[in-house]
Amino acid sequence: MSKETDYRKAMKFETPEFIPVGAWILPAAFIAHGEELKKIVLKYPVAFPAYQEDKRYDVAAGSYLEGSHTDAWGCVWENVHTGREAIVRQHPVKTREAVLSLKLPIRDDGFPHGFMYLRLLDLRGFEEVMIDFAEEPPELKVLIDKVLKHNLRQAEIRLKQLEGKKGEIVYFGDDLGMQTGLAIGAEKWRKYLKPCFKQIYGKFKDAGHYVYMHTDGHIYEIIPDLVECGVDIINPQFRANGLENLVRVCKGKVCVDLDLDRQLLPFCKPADIDAHVKIAVKALGDVKGGLMLKGEVDDSVPLKNVEALGAALEKYRGYFSK
């Protein structure tokens, strides 16, 4: 059975042969470790499938380069460390009054990471948006509607690209949570943002496609809502949500592409990584499917732990195989 077949079978709870696995490596890690890291990657091709071609992976581009970068909305991203993602340091919509005159971008940018909720923070700044959600002025709804309108246009563009195809998996990323909770709380998320995701994802679902959503932070309490919005595969973080919570809200209900504990990888021993992957597989896995495993490696992760991650992913992907 091919990896693609396993992926779809896991998504649909149709008994995949193996648990789909894969770890991503930031350019910063290749910049720091060079050929030693490449040797590990080549040793575990199933765990690191994106890095098997004979080319350089220590080359960053776009906002992963040191310096300033301006996006389609006029947000200025700044980066002091090539190989990692930048952060927004200049927010173009500084006042509520400025929301009213905000023009939608001329440039179409698809669905970058942070296309809906984080876009509000990028435009206004975290503190200002939190005050907006607390006070609920009319400008908040105006801003949300403008961002939604832009995203619905991006959805139509993407759907035209998918014309003639059925059952494609469309990928989205928007970090909705903090370390220990939703910054705006579940009630206001459902009031203001759930309808947005439902409209965007609904367009793809109506066209016969599947929705994959990456979302960092503590979000387990709204995972059922995201499923209602059309999410078929959810990519939540292990530590921020807690394994028991994910089992309760996800197991048997939605496919989980589990983001293994990135806050563990830089500091633990290799044996801890093996135990970490095993406990996740035992808790969330099932012979019918519904589980995938994802890891992420940056330049803070020791090489011995990168190797342990590769070994554990390849070892436990067959945990439910006959």
Side-chain angles (χ1 to χ4, degrees):
M1 188 179 295
S2 70
K3 182 179 179 181
E4 176 66 17
T5 301
D6 270 339
Y7 196 90
R8 289 181 173 270
K9 282 183 173 289
M11 175 179 69
K12 297 178 180 181
F13 295 87
E14 293 179 347
T15 315
E17 183 178 359
F18 294 101
I19 297 169
V21 301
W24 299 100
I25 303 174
L26 296 187
F30 281 105
I31 292 170
H33 299 299
E35 287 301 313
E36 292 304 309
L37 177 57
K38 188 63 182 290
K39 289 177 183 178
I40 295 171
V41 164
L42 293 176
K43 185 176 178 181
Y44 300 99
V46 176
F48 304 105
Y51 307 97
Q52 300 306 308
E53 295 182 15
D54 186 19
K55 64 179 183 179
R56 292 181 61 182
Y57 296 101
D58 59 349
V59 179
S63 56
Y64 277 73
L65 289 170
E66 182 179 348
S68 295
H69 316 270
T70 303
D71 66 22
W73 288 87
C75 303
V76 179
W77 297 65
E78 295 184 4
N79 194 335
V80 297
H81 183 36
T82 290
R84 291 174 177 262
E85 178 62 289
I87 61 172
V88 177
R89 296 299 298 272
Q90 297 181 43
H91 310 282
V93 188
K94 299 185 183 302
T95 65
R96 287 177 181 171
E97 292 75 16
V99 169
L100 304 178
S101 59
L102 175 66
K103 304 294 185 185
L104 271 63
I106 298 175
R107 186 170 88 238
D108 292 308
D109 60 348
F111 290 102
H113 180 271
F115 64 95
M116 189 65 235
Y117 168 67
L118 287 183
R119 181 71 75 196
L120 306 177
L121 277 61
D122 293 344
L123 289 166
R124 292 276 284 127
F126 179 81
E127 291 185 2
E128 294 299 324
V129 170
M130 292 303 107
I131 295 172
D132 289 344
F133 274 110
E135 298 180 350
E136 300 184 87
E139 292 86 354
L140 173 61
K141 185 65 166 57
V142 172
L143 179 63
I144 290 172
D145 286 346
K146 288 186 176 185
V147 174
L148 174 60
K149 184 177 181 180
H150 176 73
N151 283 325
L152 291 174
R153 187 175 78 197
Q154 304 313 301
E156 292 298 334
I157 293 171
R158 183 73 178 110
L159 284 167
K160 286 183 180 179
Q161 296 169 346
L162 294 173
E163 281 183 359
K165 299 179 180 179
K166 289 290 184 181
E168 293 294 308
I169 301 173
V170 187
Y171 293 83
F172 298 89
D174 202 354
D175 298 339
L176 304 179
M178 307 285 280
Q179 183 75 30
T180 58
L182 296 162
I184 62 174
E187 181 179 346
K188 290 190 177 180
W189 184 88
R190 293 184 179 111
K191 177 180 179 179
Y192 286 103
L193 287 164
K194 182 177 179 178
C196 300
F197 288 105
K198 194 166 187 177
Q199 286 187 62
I200 296 165
Y201 295 163
K203 286 185 173 293
F204 293 93
K205 299 295 290 185
D206 290 345
H209 302 300
Y210 299 98
V211 171
Y212 177 110
M213 186 177 186
H214 159 80
T215 178
D216 281 346
H218 176 106
I219 49 90
Y220 75 85
E221 60 198 292
I222 60 167
I223 288 178
D225 298 279
L226 292 170
V227 174
E228 289 179 16
C229 292
V231 172
D232 298 286
I233 305 173
I234 189 77
N235 176 221
Q237 291 182 310
F238 180 100
R239 181 181 293 244
N241 292 287
L243 189 57
E244 291 182 1
N245 293 326
L246 291 174
V247 169
R248 186 173 70 254
V249 301
C250 298
K251 190 168 184 177
K253 302 166 188 173
V254 62
C255 182
V256 175
D257 189 7
L258 183 65
D259 189 348
L260 295 167
D261 193 350
R262 290 185 237 162
Q263 292 170 279
L264 173 76
L265 296 180
F267 308 108
C268 68
K269 298 176 181 178
D272 297 326
I273 295 173
D274 184 277
H276 172 57
V277 175
K278 182 177 182 179
I279 194 173
V281 167
K282 290 180 68 174
L284 279 168
D286 188 278
V287 67
K288 295 179 181 179
L291 176 65
M292 306 172 180
L293 297 173
K294 182 168 267 77
E296 183 173 292
V297 172
D298 64 16
D299 50 335
S300 69
V301 180
L303 289 174
K304 62 182 180 180
N305 285 2
V306 178
E307 178 148 15
L309 176 63
L313 288 174
E314 296 202 0
K315 174 181 178 182
Y316 291 110
R317 77 185 186 104
Y319 189 84
F320 294 101
S321 299
K322 295 179 180 179

